[in-house]
Amino acid sequence: MAHTHSTPTNLHVIYEDNHLIVINKRAGDIVQGDKTGDAPLSDVVKQYIAKKYNKPGAVFLGVVHRLDRPTSGIVVFARTSKALTRLNKLFSERKTQKTYWALVKKHPSQEQATLTHYLKRNTKQNKSYAFAKAVPDSKEASLTYSVIKKLKTFTLLEIDLHTGRHHQIRSQLTAIGSPIRGDLKYGFDRSNKDGSISLHARKLTFIHPVQKEKMTFIAPLPKGDTVWEACEE
């Protein structure tokens, strides 16, 4: 079963106004263009805006942050350069609250815990390794997880990120022996049928860059996956 990619007609828009647009990314969508040459989500959103608002010429769209390709969930794009500058500042200064949901096979030893590791990135492997103590070129990574639901085979965790490191959640959960379902790169025993990993950017809170109101967005879980669907029962 291959990925169902987002297109201008099936795009899952959570919210949009004149300044920003919030998308529920499908696993397999690539946020920004890379060496694969696959059409990035940013291009799909531009096409959607051009068609919906009948905009001739180039559509402005700013990429504010990214999600790993095999993950799903909330991605925010800026629709104006002013919003992009302000959103970039919010994200870089970590004035956002990001909550993820992850399905893991091995139930963690604690129902709730804050994990702190030192992550060292290997760019050749596109992978981050977690260490208990600082090693050369490592960066401190911290998150808090709590168990939300125990399914038959898997456990649903809610994760609040305190730092934004490369593959942080994937690497830190593997370090405690609970790799994410489908994540072969980080030690899970088999891949998901659609090539996804069961990590979902569930909730995002930040102050609107122009209206200055606090906004919270929630991304519905991926459809067509029985394990994710069991989480909502």
Side-chain angles (χ1 to χ4, degrees), residues 72-224:
S72 54
I74 295 174
V75 181
V76 180
F77 294 98
R79 290 195 54 197
T80 63
S81 53
K82 181 165 80 170
L84 178 62
T85 305
R86 292 177 181 180
L87 284 167
N88 279 340
K89 195 166 187 286
L90 278 178
F91 276 77
S92 67
E93 291 175 358
R94 303 206 59 75
K95 290 180 178 167
T96 58
Q97 286 170 283
K98 296 177 184 174
T99 302
Y100 289 77
W101 280 13
L103 286 163
V104 297
K105 193 165 191 175
K106 185 172 175 290
H107 194 81
S109 56
Q110 293 171 279
E111 295 294 295
Q112 185 173 8
T114 295
L115 305 180
T116 302
H117 292 95
Y118 293 85
L119 297 195
K120 184 165 180 172
R121 185 170 178 177
N122 182 320
T123 45
K124 274 190 180 154
Q125 292 178 310
N126 188 30
K127 189 172 175 180
S128 288
Y129 291 87
F131 296 89
K133 294 191 172 122
V135 298
D137 301 323
S138 64
K139 290 179 176 172
E140 189 176 341
S142 168
L143 61 80
T144 300
Y145 76 80
S146 52
V147 172
I148 309 183
K149 193 167 187 176
K150 185 97 177 70
L151 303 169
K152 203 160 56 186
T153 317
F154 298 98
T155 298
L156 177 63
L157 303 180
E158 183 166 276
I159 295 145
D160 288 306
L161 275 183
H162 310 309
T163 53
R165 306 297 183 206
H166 175 258
H167 290 183
Q168 178 180 337
I169 298 172
R170 299 165 69 178
S171 181
Q172 287 196 271
L173 289 181
T174 289
I176 62 163
S178 298
I180 294 168
R181 172 179 174 247
D183 198 354
L184 288 177
K185 179 170 272 195
Y186 285 92
F188 198 78
D189 53 6
R190 64 177 188 278
S191 59
N192 291 343
K193 280 182 190 161
D194 63 356
S196 68
I197 63 171
S198 299
L199 178 62
H200 182 70
R202 175 68 170 173
K203 190 163 104 178
L204 181 63
T205 300
F206 58 85
I207 304 293
H208 191 286
V210 180
Q211 295 158 4
K212 303 300 181 194
E213 292 164 13
K214 188 177 183 180
M215 308 193 82
T216 296
F217 304 103
I218 292 177
L221 295 175
K223 297 238 180 310

